[in-house]
Amino acid sequence: MYVGEEKAAKARMKEILAAIKDKDKEAMKALFSKKALDEANDVDDGVDYLFDFFQGDVQSWEIYKWSSGESIERGKKSLMLRAWYTVTTDKEKYMFFVIDYIKDTMNPDNAGLYTLRVIKAEDKETEFGYWQDMCIPGIYKPEQ
């Protein structure tokens, strides 16, 4: 991982966890790109779901794995970071998956968080798949 990508991945996770801890809906929505907010079904519902789903105080977190993709066209650049994290609270262990356009001068509306999926770590086999299948705008909410 390039230093800049690792730094960006860690900084984004700190922002996500701070918004969850504070149950700050506006701060959470502000992390997402304009494109993600435009394409997501119901961002407010997703944020409410996440705040209810995530229980406990964060004890630790780490990057589990990551990958990135870069596009360069006529001097403009788009850098997509895909990162998986493990997060342990005093009540539960979670896995986070994010797709984050940490830089996009090709399409500035795309810069920011595109996908946020939070699951219980024990559900990894059923709730996580190929990243392409998890590339949905906004916050993942399982079908009821």
Side-chain angles (χ1 to χ4, degrees):
M1 181 181 284
Y2 297 110
V3 173
E5 291 174 7
E6 182 176 11
K7 195 172 171 188
K10 287 180 175 177
R12 179 64 81 202
M13 190 60 176
K14 287 177 184 170
E15 291 173 332
I16 291 168
L17 291 173
I20 292 172
K21 179 179 185 270
D22 297 340
K23 297 208 182 303
D24 187 335
K25 191 181 256 191
E26 294 310 310
M28 180 61 76
K29 286 167 47 177
L31 299 177
F32 285 88
S33 68
K34 180 179 182 336
K35 182 177 187 231
L37 294 173
D38 289 347
E39 292 177 4
N41 285 339
D42 188 339
V43 177
D44 289 313
D45 189 43
V47 173
D48 290 339
Y49 163 78
L50 178 59
F51 288 171
D52 287 342
F53 178 75
F54 190 87
Q55 298 293 313
D57 294 321
V58 174
Q59 306 291 302
S60 65
W61 65 270
E62 63 183 358
I63 296 173
Y64 173 68
K65 65 180 181 176
W66 71 278
S67 65
S68 64
E70 184 176 71
S71 301
I72 298 174
E73 195 175 291
R74 295 190 192 97
K76 295 189 180 222
K77 181 172 166 180
S78 173
L79 181 59
M80 177 215 287
L81 188 64
R82 299 173 292 275
W84 291 257
Y85 305 85
T86 53
V87 177
T88 304
T89 72
D90 53 3
K91 296 185 178 175
E92 190 66 67
K93 189 169 184 179
Y94 298 93
M95 292 200 73
F96 282 52
F97 169 70
V98 302
I99 295 178
D100 190 4
Y101 287 86
I102 57 177
K103 181 176 188 173
D104 200 330
T105 53
M106 290 164 62
N107 180 0
D109 285 349
N110 207 25
L113 207 53
Y114 186 76
T115 297
L116 175 58
R117 180 179 286 232
V118 180
I119 63 164
K120 290 184 177 174
E122 66 203 42
D123 297 329
K124 179 180 162 200
E125 298 305 315
T126 56
E127 297 287 330
F128 273 4
Y130 294 109
W131 76 264
Q132 294 91 335
D133 298 332
M134 297 192 297
C135 186
I136 55 161
I139 296 172
Y140 168 75
K141 182 180 173 188
E143 299 298 320
Q144 298 299 333

